[in-house]
């Protein structure tokens, strides 16, 4: 083969290998080092809540729901058990488009315990959030999903984070309740979110978390701004647009939401494809954040933690294998490329075996990790088609969760 051509392939292979490593491991390592370096010179500031409950701010617990009849009772019990003064906590449901027993249940069993805003037309979660926020008067709004339960101290922990005037949004931690009977979907998702939580905590310590998860996050009411009705990742877009105004996102590991993993990999695939499509949509709508001269550290964090995962990295990951084959048979550094080829074969084989075990409902975390990793990246590619199909439509099919 032409030496120049081989050199170009080697450069491309090296670049792809570096980006894949950096996206999934390298950024975490670099982030940890930067945090440790920063904290040698700047110590975290400890803040506290007002000593009297009467001095605590009013908060709205905002629940956007569509046909959630099965979880209304559990969610209301969880909400009423939160450790926050009852007169300071307002529970609001926005149930647009629901045509099951959600509204009847709220208006009978839980009459007087919450406020329900409903319209018969279903326009999607983002539109429901925007409409519902026009009724909110409290200074802080905590968003949570109907099918997630939050810990009793969550509201106090969120309010504590807001004691820092630079904080415009607080992201709670998402935890997956993995049962012993759960398969690859719940197990893989649980492992993924543990790693994500570690990165988010480090991001916060460096400067700001990069986005919030809709299961539990909060904003200052005056910073909320209406989003495009077809927005797929409303939590991500809303929270990062707040950072674009000069605020930061605080990540609170002491405020967390627990939900079941997806019922199976087919349901998890629906969710991952939608998230990937929403990620691509977000990159386009948050283009200014890619400018490091304007947003500095935040731009570095955003690009490293989010943009690469949702754009070039999956393509480069799957390009490594064919590039490796070509370089191996070109005779260039056969030992080096031979070892990498064997490692890739083993990784894909482990991923396939994880897939096979999942079809047999056999639980094995060692093989679920490569399987779930490949599964996520494949669904990023599928997200491109999903985004084209759903253009202009803010409503989507919900993924079913495993029974707890």
């Amino acid at each position: 083969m032409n030496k120049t051509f081989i050199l170009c392939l080697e450069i491309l292979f090296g670049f792809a290998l570096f980006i894949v490593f950096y996206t999934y491991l390298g950024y975490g390592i670099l982030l940890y080092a930067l945090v440790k370096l920063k904290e040698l010179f700047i110590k975290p500031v400890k803040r506290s809540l007002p000593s009297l409950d009467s001095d605590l701010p009013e908060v709205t617990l905002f629940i956007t729901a569509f046909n959630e009849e099965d979880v209304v009772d559990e969610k209301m019990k969880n909400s009423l058990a939160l450790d926050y003064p009852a007169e300071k906590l307002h529970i609001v449901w926005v149930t647009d488009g629901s045509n099951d027993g959600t509204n009847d249940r709220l208006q009978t069993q839980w009459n007087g315990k919450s406020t329900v805003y409903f319209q018969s037309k279903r326009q999607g979660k983002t539109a429901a959030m925007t409409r519902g926020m026009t009724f909110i008067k409290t200074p802080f709004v905590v968003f949570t999903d109907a099918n997630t339960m939050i810990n009793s101290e969550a509201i106090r922990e969120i309010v504590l984070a807001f004691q820092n005037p630079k904080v415009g949004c607080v992201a709670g931690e998402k935890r997956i309740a993995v049962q012993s009977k759960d398969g690859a979907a719940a197990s893989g998702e649980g492992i993924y979110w543990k790693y994500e939580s570690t990165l988010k905590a480090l991001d916060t310590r460096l400067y700001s978390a990069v986005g919030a998860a809709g299961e539990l996050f909060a904003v200052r009411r005056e910073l909320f701004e209406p989003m495009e009705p077809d927005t797929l990742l409303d939590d991500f877009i809303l929270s990062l647009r707040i950072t674009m105004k000069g605020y930061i996102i605080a990540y609170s590991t002491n405020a967390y939401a627990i939900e079941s993993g997806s019922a199976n990999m087919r349901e998890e695939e629906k969710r991952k494809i939608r998230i990937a499509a929403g990620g691509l949509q977000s990159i386009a709508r948050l283009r200014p954040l890619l400018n490091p001269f304007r947003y500095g550290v935040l731009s570095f964090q955003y690009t490293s933690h989010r943009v690469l995962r949702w754009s070039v990295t999956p393509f480069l990951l799957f390009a490594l294998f064919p590039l490796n084959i070509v370089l191996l048979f070109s005779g260039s550094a056969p030992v080096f490329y031979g070892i990498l080829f064997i490692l890739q074969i083993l990784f894909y084989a482990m991923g396939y075996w994880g897939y096979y075990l999942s079809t047999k409902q056999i639980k094995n975390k060692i093989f679920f990790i490569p399987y779930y990793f490949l599964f996520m990246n494949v669904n990023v590619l599928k997200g491109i088609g999903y985004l084209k199909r759903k253009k202009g439509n803010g409503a989507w099919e919900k993924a079913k969760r495993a029974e707890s």
Side-chain angles (χ1 to χ4, degrees), residues 15 72 96 142 163 191 197 225 261 275 280 298 304 328 383-384 392:
F15 174 75
V72 164
D96 294 355
V142 178
Q163 297 302 298
I191 293 168
S197 295
E225 62 178 56
I275 291 173
L280 292 168
L298 179 62
S304 299
L328 179 62
I384 298 172

Side-chain angles (χ1 to χ4, degrees), residues 132-315:
M133 281 297 292
T134 62
F135 303 108
I136 305 303
K137 304 299 181 185
T138 61
F140 302 113
V141 185
V142 178
F143 296 96
T144 182
D145 289 340
N147 64 345
T148 62
M149 304 301 135
I150 61 180
N151 64 310
S152 61
E153 302 85 9
I155 306 300
R156 287 184 182 269
E157 291 295 333
I158 287 170
V159 171
L160 175 60
F162 277 124
Q163 297 302 298
N164 180 354
K166 293 182 180 179
V167 172
C169 173
V170 179
E173 183 175 286
K174 175 179 176 178
R175 300 183 183 180
I176 303 299
V178 180
Q179 309 294 327
S180 59
K181 63 182 179 179
D182 288 343
S187 297
E189 190 181 355
I191 293 168
Y192 168 77
W193 275 104
K194 286 179 182 178
Y195 177 63
E196 265 299 291
S197 295
T198 301
L199 286 184
K200 287 183 177 184
L202 289 171
D203 273 329
T204 296
R205 287 165 64 185
L206 181 64
Y207 176 66
S208 170
V210 186
E215 287 77 10
L216 178 61
F217 76 106
V219 303
R220 296 182 187 273
R221 178 179 54 84
E222 71 271 16
L223 296 180
F224 179 89
E225 62 178 56
M227 293 164 284
E228 298 84 345
D230 65 340
T231 299
L232 292 170
L233 299 184
D234 47 83
D235 44 12
F236 189 75
I237 290 281
L238 173 58
S239 58
L240 281 179
R241 283 182 174 167
I242 287 174
T243 66
M244 293 170 72
K245 297 175 181 178
Y247 293 86
I248 61 174
I249 302 170
Y251 184 64
S252 177
T253 56
N254 294 322
Y256 56 86
I258 301 175
E259 70 175 0
S260 300
S262 297
N264 52 56
M265 292 305 286
R266 184 179 296 276
E267 296 301 320
E268 180 68 355
E269 181 181 28
K270 292 179 188 176
R271 208 175 63 85
K272 285 297 182 188
I273 290 175
R274 180 182 63 79
I275 291 173
L280 292 168
Q281 183 189 67
S282 300
I283 292 171
R285 293 182 178 178
L286 299 171
R287 285 190 300 274
L289 270 179
L290 296 173
N291 183 354
F293 299 103
R294 183 175 178 183
Y295 291 103
V297 175
L298 179 62
S299 180
F300 158 70
Q301 292 179 291
Y302 170 62
T303 303
S304 299
H305 194 163
R306 295 299 183 188
V307 175
L308 290 176
R309 291 188 187 187
W310 289 332
S311 57
V312 299
T313 300
F315 291 94

